[in-house]
Amino acid sequence: MKKVITYGTFDLLHKGHVRLLKRAKALGDDLTVCVSSDEFNAEKGKRAYTSYEDRKYILEAIKYVDHVIPETTWDQKIKDVQENNIDIFVMGDDWKGKFDFLKDYCEVVYLPRTEGISTTKIKHDLGLTDEEEWKAEE
């Protein structure tokens, strides 16, 4: 059985998130999603609109997702890969190269983003973010 893992905040769930999960699951048999906790988001200077518990609940309802675990630190990835016997680590290509250090432990795959949609765009469109943050995302 091939095991796949991915990480993210998964706030304001949208088509891009679901496409990433679908493509990640297609790479293996078992998909674990590590969701940034509210406390970890605060450390990163981010604030999710939806609580960790609600984001976890929503992800668990998606047919491509087999397991949801919390992401509480930047440094847990190697441990997660080893403890869960992960074969493939998946992230969006906006993170390309940032997780290559995991190649010593598993295959690393960067998937293309879905054009025209992002949580930052949704927040911008709803007036929940400022113009500088929006332009930085583009």
Side-chain angles (χ1 to χ4, degrees):
M1 174 170 28
K2 261 196 179 168
K3 293 184 171 189
V4 181
I5 197 166
T6 191
Y7 289 74
T9 300
F10 297 96
D11 192 26
L12 301 178
L13 198 72
H14 54 72
K15 178 182 177 179
H17 290 133
V18 176
R19 285 192 71 232
L20 174 76
L21 297 170
K22 180 179 181 180
R23 291 179 292 160
K25 175 67 177 216
L27 295 172
D29 307 296
D30 185 84
L31 176 61
T32 297
V33 179
C34 296
V35 181
S36 298
S37 68
D38 296 330
E39 297 78 14
F40 184 46
N41 275 336
E43 285 178 34
K44 295 188 286 184
K46 294 175 74 176
R47 185 172 160 258
Y49 179 81
T50 309
S51 72
Y52 166 80
E53 286 302 324
D54 287 352
R55 289 179 283 126
K56 180 179 186 285
Y57 179 84
I58 292 165
L59 285 164
E60 288 173 336
I62 295 174
K63 67 181 178 179
Y64 309 114
V65 177
D66 296 296
H67 315 279
V68 179
I69 61 176
E71 179 185 25
T72 58
T73 70
W74 285 112
D75 300 327
Q76 77 184 64
K77 289 174 182 64
I78 292 172
K79 181 180 169 200
D80 288 345
V81 166
Q82 291 176 323
E83 288 182 358
N84 294 286
N85 299 310
I86 298 299
D87 300 294
I88 304 171
F89 173 91
V90 174
M91 285 297 281
D93 65 0
D94 50 327
W95 290 94
K96 192 165 189 139
K98 299 260 192 308
F99 299 106
D100 287 354
F101 65 91
L102 290 170
K103 289 181 178 180
D104 291 338
Y105 305 93
C106 64
E107 181 181 352
V108 176
V109 176
Y110 298 100
L111 296 174
R113 289 179 60 116
T114 300
E115 292 294 319
I117 187 72
S118 71
T119 300
T120 303
K121 179 183 183 325
I122 292 170
K123 286 181 177 180
H124 176 266
D125 291 350
L126 294 173
L128 300 174
T129 188
D130 61 31
E131 199 66 27
E132 288 80 34
E133 185 177 350
W134 163 243
K135 288 187 184 209
E137 174 78 13
E138 287 298 288

